[in-house]
């Protein structure tokens, strides 16, 4: 829980820093920065879910095009996209350590 609160505070501070660096980007204090960071986080989560749906559709399209590669429906395609995303994160983490 403490890590989540720290992440939230750091994101809000990052927004305040951006406001000092980027012309036309304004944040009027820590309160609005905290609220904006929550809203941005929720919107990013929504976009992430939408990207999984798009990736599932791409998996289905590849299944229709590539002989020997078959995915039977939206549910397996969606879960395949989720597992591929998780494995991709794991691979990136391992490669970063190497």
């Amino acid at each position: 829980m403490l890590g989540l609160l720290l992440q939230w505070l750091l994101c809000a501070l990052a927004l305040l820093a951006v406001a000092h660096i980027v012309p036309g980007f304004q944040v009027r204090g820590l309160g609005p920065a905290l609220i904006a960071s929550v809203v941005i986080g929720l919107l990013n989560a929504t976009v992430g879910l939408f990207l999984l749906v798009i990736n599932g559709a791409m998996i289905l399209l590849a299944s229709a095009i590539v002989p020997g590669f078959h995915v039977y429906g939206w549910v397996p395609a969606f879960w395949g996209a989720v597992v591929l995303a998780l494995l991709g994160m794991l691979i990136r983490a391992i490669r970063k350590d190497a």
Side-chain angles (χ1 to χ4, degrees):
M1 181 69 172
L2 184 60
L4 183 61
L5 291 174
L6 181 61
Q7 179 71 24
W8 180 32
L9 179 61
L10 291 174
C11 287
L13 293 174
L15 283 175
L16 289 169
V18 170
H20 287 288
I21 297 168
V22 178
F25 197 106
Q26 182 181 41
V27 183
R28 295 184 178 182
L30 184 59
L34 287 167
I35 294 169
S37 66
V38 168
V39 171
I40 291 168
L42 292 172
L43 292 172
N44 280 335
T46 302
V47 169
L49 182 58
F50 186 65
L51 286 176
L52 288 173
V53 171
I54 290 172
N55 287 340
M58 296 302 105
I59 289 170
L60 281 176
L61 180 60
S63 175
I65 295 170
V66 178
F69 177 64
H70 300 287
V71 178
Y72 299 100
W74 276 101
V75 173
F78 175 80
W79 286 111
V82 170
V83 172
L84 284 172
L86 292 172
L87 290 173
M89 289 180 354
L90 178 64
I91 290 167
R92 284 189 296 278
I94 290 170
R95 290 192 70 219
K96 188 182 286 188
D97 290 339

